[in-house]
Amino acid sequence: MIADRFARRRRVALIRRCLLRGVYCRRRGWYAEGERWARRADEAAREVDLAGRATLLVDLASLWHALTRYPESHACARRAAELLTPSPPGPGRDGPLSDALVRMGDVERRQARYVPAEVHLRHAFALAPETDHERGAAVRLALGVLCKELGRYGEAETCYRDALTRLDRLGGEHPMRADALHNLAGLAHTRGDPGGERYARAAIEARRRTLGPRPGPRHDHVAADLAVLGALLAGQGRHAEAEETLHRAMDIFRERLGADHYEVAVCQVNLARLDHLQGRAEQAGRRYRDALRIKRLTLGPGHPEVRRLSALVAEVGDGLAGKG
Amino acid sequence: MRKFKRLSALVAVSAVPFFFVLMTGTAEAIRIANHCEPAPGDR
């Protein structure tokens, strides 16, 4: 009995050490190393009963999410939610359970599983304490992105603005503030509102202030903000500026996340459209096909984004064949 | 002397994550952000 308790304690300490190293590597932009530590923590977490230590699983889900390993993040968050749900309600349970549900909902939204995503995010919304501005902002950002993808733009805007208000109440420069500005810029892009540019530029500035000197401007979060700015500039017909910005973003993504990452595919689609608008049909076709290959790899063949892009690639291919 | 230097470098390298842990903990903030692509009709 005592030996079991001792073994459990050692296992929990191992998980914590691996998590610490993983988080450290992630923040420095060392993805491969961060993933190695996350995998070790994950293996150790499978071998031990984590009842009463579910927050470790929430932290591991967050690390996997930050490493853009979404299925692994979902599995950890789900296990944490299963451990936390039977506990009596209270601040010790509701906060971590809300975090677990946000991670589950966000991953489900990325996988186009919108119904469970909304159920989990609404549950998280109800659990997040009114006075906990950080958690409240995270839930609202996740709900806002879901609403945007479902075409409920007014609701998405309310969520983003509420999140921003809560983060402003926290004072200082919270890293999530840049996400809220980024999302407002993205929403403006979808609505065709040129005013989004100021949000995108504010997001880049806010991000630079919150990130450390390394990797600093080469961080993939900065690249994501540049990608939104590039898309907005493209929407305004400022093609040269948009291309330069999107190439900068894509170079950082390739360097940090690898050539076959989803973020690279998003940049390729935006660049392909610019090629298409400027009469470079073959180059556009190449980019669309590369984006489709990556999206199939990262999202799976049944994802709506893959189906839409497949149809577009077929259309572009037919256009080229018609010209030839 | 060389051994001592190597050992102290190793200690310093291993200590970095522990100091980092003491300062920040293991809770990593996640980035919840949308992506922008042209609408299907724009192409």
Side-chain angles (χ1 to χ4, degrees), chain A residues 274-292:
Chain A
L274 286 169
D275 284 332
H276 187 75
L277 288 172
Q278 292 171 95
R280 301 187 297 253
E282 277 188 35
Q283 172 80 339
R286 265 199 300 276
R287 288 196 193 280
Y288 279 135
R289 282 193 295 278
D290 187 43
L292 178 60

Side-chain angles (χ1 to χ4, degrees), chain A residues 33-110:
Chain A
E33 192 67 7
E35 206 175 310
R36 205 163 69 83
W37 289 113
R39 208 159 291 287
R40 279 188 69 180
D42 210 318
E43 281 162 14
R46 279 169 216 261
E47 292 164 8
V48 67
D49 175 17
L50 286 172
R53 306 264 187 181
T55 48
L56 277 180
L57 282 169
V58 176
D59 288 354
L60 185 53
S62 309
L63 177 58
W64 278 126
H65 193 288
L67 291 165
T68 72
R69 294 286 177 191
Y70 301 116
E72 289 89 343
S73 173
H74 190 272
C76 289
R78 193 171 143 180
R79 207 177 140 202
E82 282 167 2
L83 286 171
L84 288 161
T85 304
S87 309
R93 183 206 72 154
D94 293 354
L97 182 55
S98 166
D99 291 344
L101 291 167
V102 166
R103 279 136 190 85
M104 282 172 74
D106 192 61
V107 173
E108 285 154 356
R109 189 262 310 163
R110 285 168 194 270

Side-chain angles (χ1 to χ4, degrees), chain A residues 57-316:
Chain A
L57 282 169
V58 176
D59 288 354
L60 185 53
S62 309
L63 177 58
W64 278 126
H65 193 288
L67 291 165
T68 72
R69 294 286 177 191
Y70 301 116
E72 289 89 343
S73 173
H74 190 272
C76 289
R78 193 171 143 180
R79 207 177 140 202
E82 282 167 2
L83 286 171
L84 288 161
T85 304
S87 309
R93 183 206 72 154
D94 293 354
L97 182 55
S98 166
D99 291 344
L101 291 167
V102 166
R103 279 136 190 85
M104 282 172 74
D106 192 61
V107 173
E108 285 154 356
R109 189 262 310 163
R110 285 168 194 270
Q111 295 168 337
R113 291 157 58 204
Y114 297 119
V115 175
E118 183 145 20
V119 169
H120 289 135
L121 293 176
R122 295 270 170 214
H123 188 184
F125 188 90
L127 285 170
E130 191 54 35
T131 49
D132 189 341
H133 296 315
E134 194 172 351
R135 278 204 173 94
V139 177
R140 280 163 177 81
L141 287 185
L143 256 177
V145 178
L146 176 75
C147 291
K148 184 209 157 199
E149 287 195 14
L150 293 172
R152 285 149 41 190
Y153 301 141
E155 216 178 318
E157 186 174 358
T158 307
C159 287
Y160 296 154
R161 291 201 184 281
D162 282 358
L164 206 53
T165 308
R166 281 168 180 271
L167 293 166
D168 285 341
R169 269 185 218 154
L170 281 174
E173 189 71 73
H174 195 285
M176 237 190 287
R177 224 180 143 264
D179 296 340
L181 293 164
H182 172 114
N183 288 346
L184 279 166
L187 184 63
H189 171 265
T190 309
R191 284 169 150 173
D193 171 8
E197 187 184 341
R198 71 188 163 96
Y199 290 122
R201 293 197 187 277
I204 294 168
E205 280 315 304
R207 191 83 66 193
R208 282 188 179 150
R209 283 195 297 270
T210 55
L211 290 171
R214 277 189 292 175
R218 303 289 297 171
H219 198 289
D220 51 284
H221 291 182
V222 175
D225 300 333
L226 285 171
V228 170
L229 178 62
L232 278 158
L233 294 172
Q236 292 172 36
R238 289 154 69 183
H239 296 166
E241 277 175 88
E243 259 183 282
E244 196 254 321
T245 310
L246 286 164
H247 275 295
R248 265 170 67 200
M250 193 163 72
D251 287 350
I252 299 172
F253 284 137
R254 280 187 167 148
E255 180 190 315
R256 292 273 153 207
L257 308 173
D260 289 346
H261 197 278
Y262 174 78
E263 300 283 357
V264 174
V266 174
C267 288
Q268 285 284 50
V269 169
N270 281 297
L271 283 166
R273 182 181 176 244
L274 286 169
D275 284 332
H276 187 75
L277 288 172
Q278 292 171 95
R280 301 187 297 253
E282 277 188 35
Q283 172 80 339
R286 265 199 300 276
R287 288 196 193 280
Y288 279 135
R289 282 193 295 278
D290 187 43
L292 178 60
R293 180 187 63 80
I294 298 171
K295 286 196 179 190
R296 272 201 186 121
L297 209 67
T298 52
L299 301 174
H303 196 285
E305 273 187 46
V306 174
R307 286 204 298 268
R308 276 199 300 271
L309 194 53
S310 280
L312 184 73
V313 166
E315 198 182 298
V316 170

Side-chain angles (χ1 to χ4, degrees), chain A residues 21, chain B residues 4-19:
Chain A
R21 290 187 164 106
Chain B
F4 175 75
K5 270 188 183 170
R6 211 180 290 164
L7 191 68
S8 45
L10 190 70
V11 168
V13 166
S14 327
V16 168
F18 291 104
F19 281 118

